[in-house]
Amino acid sequence: MIDEQIAALAEEMIGLRRDFHRHPELGFSETRTAGIIARYLRQLGLEVRENIGSTGVTGLLKGEMPGKTLMLRADMDALPIQEHNEVAYRSVTPGVMHACGHDGHMAILLTVAKALSALRTNLAGQVKFVFQPAEENLGGARVMIDEGVLDEPRVDAAFGLHLISMLPVGYIGWHSGPIMASMDSFTLTIRGRGGHSAMPEGGVDAILISAQVITALQGLVTHEISPVSPVVINVGTIRGGNAANVIADTVVLEGTVRALDVTVQQSIPGRMERIIDGISRGMGGSYELSYVSGYPATINDAGMTGLVRLAGAEVVGEDHVFEVPPTMASEDMSFYLQKVPGSYFFVGAGNPEKGITQPHHNSLFDIDEQALVVGARMLCHLAGLYLNNP
Ligand SMILES: [Zn+2]
Ligand SMILES: [Zn+2]
């Protein structure tokens, strides 16, 4: 019954996605987007709250029977990328593009809200539809939590999905435990003492210190952390020195640290500092390390992931549901999953036969819109499995 409901709404869902795609907005600036969402949810008769975490919107659907509260989440933000697709729904905003699929996530969630609203007499408990700003690096989830998105009514569990162009349409990817990594960032300033390059004994070379530090940080990854607990330390920028014949007095490095294990993640800044301190001081220099914790690892609950597998078997068939390895990319769905049990899963959206193969965050990124139907059916089935089976 729910599947027919979604099939009947498919055309409207594709229209919603194309409208969002045509009018992308960056993190915490999703005002047009939020307006459309709030209006849509209100027309369905849901209890709507706006401006949570700046541009976030929630809609509450109350079933006719009492029960638990399930949160379903979509992210709303686009990316600072100039679109190069030649399609009718191409972005009209120069330099901004939905190049991660969040336009599809919103269209899916609005459609699920409509389909479940029509079936509210059969629904136990409540569904909180959460439209979250600023997933890309800015941590919109954290801001929404600070502003009470998990309260009133208290959320018992949460599901979220991501459309994935690397996975063919019609496939579902799940993983129990950590599915995506944490991501922290750091800025390291190394100071030496300038001098004439002909007389290196008179200076302290900040570039030479930096070279040792960068190499030693990779040793930290390979020799201090178990090889079966993945960690990535990446130095992404390095700036220092002004002239070929001058000993550089300052070098600034910026980088990121990713891990799947929380305990390991928490141990990294201390380990880095010990190594940086030893090398810098040992070579006669000094340093400043600024280390900022970003997104935690996204950790899926085993029971909730079991429901994703069940729903996947119902929607695409058991042989199209498979376990994906964790990725070292990160995702702010993690903040909700620190507070409530839930599962974050992948919905295939690529289609090599149609030439839809571009990676996310690429100016030619696109999705096979049939994936929207799969995503919407998945969330409806999950709501049924979670809420109507006490
Ligand atoms: Zn993205
Ligand atoms: Zn994304």
Side-chain angles (χ1 to χ4, degrees), residues 315-335:
V315 171
V316 294
E318 210 170 334
D319 55 340
H320 282 59
V321 180
F322 65 98
E323 183 175 13
V324 290
T327 145
M328 296 307 279
S330 58
E331 160 63 54
D332 76 352
M333 180 78 191
S334 53
F335 287 108

Side-chain angles (χ1 to χ4, degrees), residues 154-227:
R154 180 106 203 106
V155 167
D156 295 304
F159 289 111
L161 61 76
H162 209 301
L163 296 165
I164 297 286
S165 65
M166 288 89 77
L167 202 64
V169 65
Y171 286 84
I172 299 296
W174 60 271
H175 190 90
S176 186
I179 185 167
M180 295 182 85
S182 57
M183 195 195 84
D184 302 332
S185 55
F186 64 88
T187 302
L188 171 62
T189 305
I190 291 184
R191 295 189 204 285
R193 191 169 61 247
H196 197 297
S197 64
M199 285 152 271
E201 72 278 15
V204 173
D205 187 353
I207 288 181
L208 187 60
I209 298 173
S210 303
Q212 305 285 344
V213 165
I214 292 167
T215 310
L217 290 179
Q218 298 314 314
L220 186 170
V221 173
T222 58
H223 284 70
E224 289 197 31
I225 309 294
S226 162

